[in-house]
Amino acid sequence: MSHNEMGHKPILFDELADRLVELGGGSHPSELHGLLCGLLAGGERPGVEAWQRQVAGMLSDEPLDEVSLQQFAAMYEGTRLQLEQGDFGIQVLLPDDEESMEQRTEALGLWCHGFLSGFGESAASKKLSEDLNGILHDFSEIAQIQESDESDETERFFLEVSEYVRMALLNVFAEMNSDEEAAAPVAAAENSRLH
């Protein structure tokens, strides 16, 4: 059953960006999505209300309005469902392809930064495999990428790296949530480690 059939619309970058600007612009959509993915991948399930409080705290500590509460609830539930179902359709939340390479590269770096923060928060005391440590190292490297020219080669590199990040997310989630209800492990990312 797809995400939409379950009543959860996928998060749209522009919608979330507009919402964050209205709330004071204290966070980036990609970083926020990365943070949530990191929390969930590390095994934490804070729940919708705790997630809404965390977002409010990151933004301004002001109570969120009803529209914002609904949007962040949908973001939490939609992302959690996609990860728990091993949904290969899950995407790293990035600006559209027509945006500049600089914006897209920055967003991918911020997503990885957010993921590392969330994962560190939820998996701080857990023993990690060598493969998983390798992925986290890769994410920390990606978080610092400065490449932003508009060449075809840069576009190809960006697409390869963003796909690696997407598959690595599924792999980390599968390894860290490998109880009987977890998604089937995803082996694809293991063979595409960045070197």
Side-chain angles (χ1 to χ4, degrees), residues 31-105:
E31 188 170 22
L32 200 59
H33 186 246
L35 176 71
L36 177 57
C37 288
L39 286 168
L40 296 170
E44 193 166 317
R45 298 294 181 274
V48 168
E49 289 182 6
W51 170 243
Q52 290 166 331
R53 283 195 301 274
Q54 186 166 356
V55 173
M58 290 170 63
L59 297 174
S60 64
D61 267 334
E62 294 290 318
L64 297 174
D65 60 72
E66 193 57 40
V67 175
S68 298
L69 287 171
Q70 288 176 3
Q71 190 163 15
F72 293 123
M75 178 184 191
Y76 178 88
E77 285 298 338
T79 304
R80 181 185 63 78
L81 278 169
Q82 280 191 306
L83 286 169
E84 288 180 353
Q85 293 169 356
D87 188 340
F88 285 89
I90 193 168
Q91 296 295 324
V92 174
L93 189 64
L94 300 172
D96 291 336
D97 291 349
E98 55 266 22
E99 299 297 337
S100 72
M101 182 54 66
E102 184 174 5
Q103 285 180 284
R104 293 158 66 203
T105 302

Side-chain angles (χ1 to χ4, degrees), residues 101 149-159:
M101 182 54 66
D149 66 297
E150 300 289 339
S151 68
D152 289 346
E153 185 179 347
T154 303
E155 177 77 22
R156 275 196 303 276
F157 177 70
F158 175 83
L159 292 174

Side-chain angles (χ1 to χ4, degrees), residues 11-14 28-31 33 91-97 99 103-112 158-159 161-163 165-166:
I11 315 156
L12 299 177
F13 181 91
D14 289 342
H28 187 282
S30 298
E31 188 170 22
H33 186 246
Q91 296 295 324
V92 174
L93 189 64
L94 300 172
D96 291 336
D97 291 349
E99 299 297 337
Q103 285 180 284
R104 293 158 66 203
T105 302
E106 179 191 24
L108 184 60
L110 286 168
W111 190 95
C112 288
F158 175 83
L159 292 174
V161 174
S162 54
E163 178 62 9
V165 168
R166 186 178 81 86

